[in-house]
Amino acid sequence: MVTDETLRLPTIQFRAVLDLGERLASAITLPDALAHPDLFADWGDDGEALNLSVDFDDGQLHIVLDDTGPTYHYHGTDDPFESPWPADQTETLLQWSLTLAQEIYTLEELLDTIADAAEWFEQGFTLYVPETDPTQLELIELGITGELLTLPWLGSGTVDHEHIDGDHHPIALVWTPVPGRDGLQIARAWLDPTTGEPRTEALPGVDWAAVAMAEDEVLSWLLGIYANHHVAPTPEAQIMRAALERMGGIS
């Protein structure tokens, strides 16, 4: 199954005025082979630790920073402490990423401000300007990719999707027939490692009559949800990436 791009809403131009600090990471030049990472940051569940993901097709550097200092590990190798990239490239990437993480950590309100900007976008506004004391501000301009048109859940009960262990970014569709009862995984979606397209499959033993939607209808619905939330990044993730790229000097 592949997504039908004719059902995607149009790209909308959006501008956000943000405090991006001193942009110290922009003084460090990334190696050509690692010059275009996919960036995402969030605060951990306790709100004390910052997570920064620096993603490439062949691996990821993940940094966790709190008031005790940074820790980091890699994805894409058998050993999480072994880099997927040559030592000289890794050294520069690590220096750049740690500098960027420290600056995000110092700008405590940045991620909340980006979330506010995304909320403005979702309300239909095309310019976000925060309330702030006088400071140096940056104008971020980007085209935010429209979502695929999807129907609401038309089966019985309710559904949610959650990340599960495994390669290629798998998620599970969790169906809850009655509020307050445990949910049941009924289908999975992941990225095909060869094509990069989302794939889906139903899990065995599902009572599709109880779900009140046919198996193929559920898989089609899940495909759209996966494409919107795990292939095309959310407006917040797109604004964040543009802001972090500006901070890191790669846009």
Side-chain angles (χ1 to χ4, degrees), residues 21-42:
E22 298 180 58
R23 302 200 293 126
L24 300 176
S26 65
I28 302 169
T29 302
L30 286 169
D32 289 344
L34 301 176
H36 300 287
D38 189 2
L39 301 168
F40 187 79
D42 64 5

Side-chain angles (χ1 to χ4, degrees), residues 116-203:
D116 288 344
E119 185 175 345
W120 279 42
F121 171 80
E122 289 166 354
Q123 293 295 322
F125 301 108
T126 57
L127 171 65
Y128 170 80
V129 181
E131 295 184 13
T132 179
D133 295 329
T135 189
Q136 180 65 44
L137 298 171
E138 297 278 341
L139 175 63
I140 302 295
E141 299 182 84
L142 72 155
I144 295 184
T145 304
E147 290 192 346
L148 286 172
L149 294 172
T150 58
L151 292 170
W153 175 250
L154 299 177
S156 65
T158 59
V159 288
D160 197 0
H161 49 97
E162 61 184 26
H163 289 277
I164 55 177
D165 293 336
D167 297 328
H168 315 303
H169 307 289
I171 67 166
L173 182 65
V174 180
W175 172 64
T176 303
V178 179
R181 293 175 58 179
D182 292 338
L184 173 69
Q185 293 186 9
I186 62 174
R188 296 191 307 156
W190 69 97
L191 285 179
D192 186 305
T194 302
T195 66
E197 291 286 343
R199 300 288 299 275
T200 60
E201 69 175 5
L203 296 179

Side-chain angles (χ1 to χ4, degrees), residues 206-222:
V206 175
D207 183 349
W208 295 106
V211 174
M213 281 180 70
E215 176 182 331
D216 60 342
E217 293 177 330
V218 170
L219 294 183
S220 178
W221 185 87
L222 176 59

